[in-house]
Amino acid sequence: MSAEALQKPTVVVPSGASIEVLRGFYAGLELAVDREWFVIGRGRGADGILADATISRAHAAIGYDAAEGFFVQDLGSTNGTLLNGERQKRGALRDGDQIQIGKLLLRVSLPGAGARR
């Protein structure tokens, strides 16, 4: 079997997904979620670096799966991840959902969502 056949199939992430910081030092900052696994944290290896002492180096990730859509997943952070006020290990995302990591509050914007379900 060739190396090409063993590679993971490419997932096309819908363009236009983003997260906006609503509360905390970075309030007003908007980050485009432009890949299938977008890590948020204070470490240099994060895709969305937010240098806040209340979040872990790799705190949470916004993921995309063609079958289930966008989701948030806690990455074993010290302070946990809240989705709409409830602590979550992993949860499906809808347009307008709020994610709290440490003292930062984020709002999710998803493409083509229109009115919230």
PDB file of all heavy atoms in Angstrom, residues 7 30 39 77 96 112:
ATOM      1  N   GLN A   7      -2.466   7.959   4.233  1.00  0.00           N
ATOM      2  CA  GLN A   7      -2.665   9.280   4.809  1.00  0.00           C
ATOM      3  C   GLN A   7      -4.119   9.491   5.191  1.00  0.00           C
ATOM      4  O   GLN A   7      -5.037   8.994   4.538  1.00  0.00           O
ATOM      5  CB  GLN A   7      -2.238  10.365   3.828  1.00  0.00           C
ATOM      6  CG  GLN A   7      -0.748  10.424   3.640  1.00  0.00           C
ATOM      7  CD  GLN A   7      -0.366  11.529   2.670  1.00  0.00           C
ATOM      8  OE1 GLN A   7      -1.204  12.124   2.005  1.00  0.00           O
ATOM      9  NE2 GLN A   7       0.921  11.806   2.592  1.00  0.00           N
ATOM     10  N   GLU A  30     -10.801  38.723  17.868  1.00  0.00           N
ATOM     11  CA  GLU A  30     -11.496  37.676  17.132  1.00  0.00           C
ATOM     12  C   GLU A  30     -10.455  36.805  16.441  1.00  0.00           C
ATOM     13  O   GLU A  30      -9.527  37.309  15.816  1.00  0.00           O
ATOM     14  CB  GLU A  30     -12.454  38.271  16.102  1.00  0.00           C
ATOM     15  CG  GLU A  30     -13.340  37.245  15.467  1.00  0.00           C
ATOM     16  CD  GLU A  30     -14.463  37.851  14.648  1.00  0.00           C
ATOM     17  OE1 GLU A  30     -14.723  39.059  14.769  1.00  0.00           O
ATOM     18  OE2 GLU A  30     -15.084  37.107  13.878  1.00  0.00           O
ATOM     19  N   VAL A  39      -6.197  24.713  18.593  1.00  0.00           N
ATOM     20  CA  VAL A  39      -5.894  24.707  20.030  1.00  0.00           C
ATOM     21  C   VAL A  39      -5.832  26.130  20.567  1.00  0.00           C
ATOM     22  O   VAL A  39      -5.192  27.009  19.976  1.00  0.00           O
ATOM     23  CB  VAL A  39      -4.559  23.979  20.307  1.00  0.00           C
ATOM     24  CG1 VAL A  39      -4.189  24.054  21.784  1.00  0.00           C
ATOM     25  CG2 VAL A  39      -4.652  22.526  19.858  1.00  0.00           C
ATOM     26  N   SER A  77      -7.195  20.590  30.971  1.00  0.00           N
ATOM     27  CA  SER A  77      -6.797  21.839  31.621  1.00  0.00           C
ATOM     28  C   SER A  77      -7.014  21.780  33.127  1.00  0.00           C
ATOM     29  O   SER A  77      -7.826  21.003  33.623  1.00  0.00           O
ATOM     30  CB  SER A  77      -7.600  23.004  31.037  1.00  0.00           C
ATOM     31  OG  SER A  77      -8.969  22.862  31.370  1.00  0.00           O
ATOM     32  N   GLY A  96     -23.237  31.186  18.343  1.00  0.00           N
ATOM     33  CA  GLY A  96     -23.598  31.998  19.502  1.00  0.00           C
ATOM     34  C   GLY A  96     -23.259  31.365  20.842  1.00  0.00           C
ATOM     35  O   GLY A  96     -23.391  32.021  21.872  1.00  0.00           O
ATOM     36  N   GLY A 112     -22.840  30.102   8.083  1.00  0.00           N
ATOM     37  CA  GLY A 112     -24.123  29.635   7.588  1.00  0.00           C
ATOM     38  C   GLY A 112     -25.135  29.275   8.660  1.00  0.00           C
ATOM     39  O   GLY A 112     -26.098  28.593   8.402  1.00  0.00           O
TER      40      GLY A 112
END
